[in-house]
Amino acid sequence: ASIAKSDITFFNELGLRYKHVATIEYAHSQVKCAVRPVLVESNHPLYQVEGVQNAIHIEADIVGSISLQGPGAGMYPTASAIIEDLIHLSEKDQEYTFNEESTLDQQRSAKTSWIAYGRSALQQLPEGAVIMKMIANDTWVVEIEGDLRIEDASLIQILGDATRLKEMKKIH
């Protein structure tokens, strides 16, 4: 699924920013990894990361929330490092498997906030999802607990406290 410029403008008007986020999570004796666009609330540490800056945000049981931010290596050093890694992988006798999936399974015990965006979005909500607020035409804030299978861009996770969105008056 793609993100249109009109989507970026619409969500910016709501105080949200799209960010391309890589996540890694250990849950239910499994490591889950994903790279996908998410919407970030202004109260989340990743909201202010712009330009050449990169950031890592860690949420852990013992230490709580930790964020680190700094300049990225840049386009050419990053490409060079990836090519070097691929060469090292090809030189080893071990088998590696890379799977590119269009869906992502998330196993979370806590509730997470999402934007359901578009006419078909509500049809994709899992059982037990709660519609918190309609914030614009065909746009809802929802809370989801448990497993979620993301199949297209009509469900977008919100990072940060979504309370402001749940309390806002409907626009458009």
Side-chain angles (χ1 to χ4, degrees):
S2 62
I3 299 170
K5 185 173 181 172
S6 59
D7 295 338
I8 294 169
T9 302
F10 174 72
F11 287 116
N12 280 345
E13 289 172 5
L14 294 176
L16 300 167
R17 289 185 181 160
Y18 270 106
K19 299 290 181 180
H20 199 208
V21 175
T23 59
I24 185 167
E25 177 180 342
Y26 181 77
H28 307 287
S29 301
Q30 291 185 323
V31 176
K32 302 237 177 205
C33 303
V35 178
R36 68 182 192 278
V38 299
L39 288 168
V40 181
E41 264 282 8
S42 60
N43 56 27
H44 192 277
L46 296 181
Y47 185 84
Q48 298 298 333
V49 179
E50 296 290 334
V52 298
Q53 294 291 305
N54 288 332
I56 298 173
H57 179 72
I58 301 166
E59 292 182 18
D61 294 337
I62 296 174
V63 297
S65 180
I66 300 171
S67 296
L68 303 170
Q69 182 175 335
M75 177 173 49
Y76 297 113
T78 302
S80 175
I82 290 171
I83 290 171
E84 184 178 350
D85 290 345
L86 292 172
I87 290 169
H88 286 296
L89 287 174
S90 69
E91 292 174 348
K92 301 201 186 267
D93 290 333
Q94 299 176 4
E95 258 187 60
Y96 294 92
T97 303
F98 296 94
N99 293 325
E100 183 177 330
E101 296 183 12
S102 61
T103 60
L104 167 70
D105 286 324
Q106 291 216 359
Q107 294 185 6
R108 296 181 183 264
S109 57
K111 289 182 180 177
T112 53
S113 296
W114 296 75
I115 292 285
Y117 184 55
R119 293 188 183 272
S120 66
L122 296 182
Q123 297 169 357
Q124 293 187 52
L125 293 177
E127 188 175 319
V130 178
I131 299 170
M132 303 303 292
K133 177 96 177 190
M134 181 180 202
I135 57 174
N137 292 334
D138 299 323
T139 307
W140 301 266
V141 176
V142 298
E143 282 191 351
I144 298 172
E145 185 172 356
D147 296 347
L148 177 62
R149 187 167 203 90
I150 303 168
E151 297 188 2
D152 65 33
S154 65
L155 287 174
I156 310 159
Q157 186 174 6
I158 302 170
L159 296 182
D161 182 0
T163 302
R164 179 186 63 82
L165 288 172
K166 295 173 194 170
E167 295 172 352
M168 91 176 350
K169 292 181 180 177
K170 183 180 171 187
I171 61 170
H172 296 287

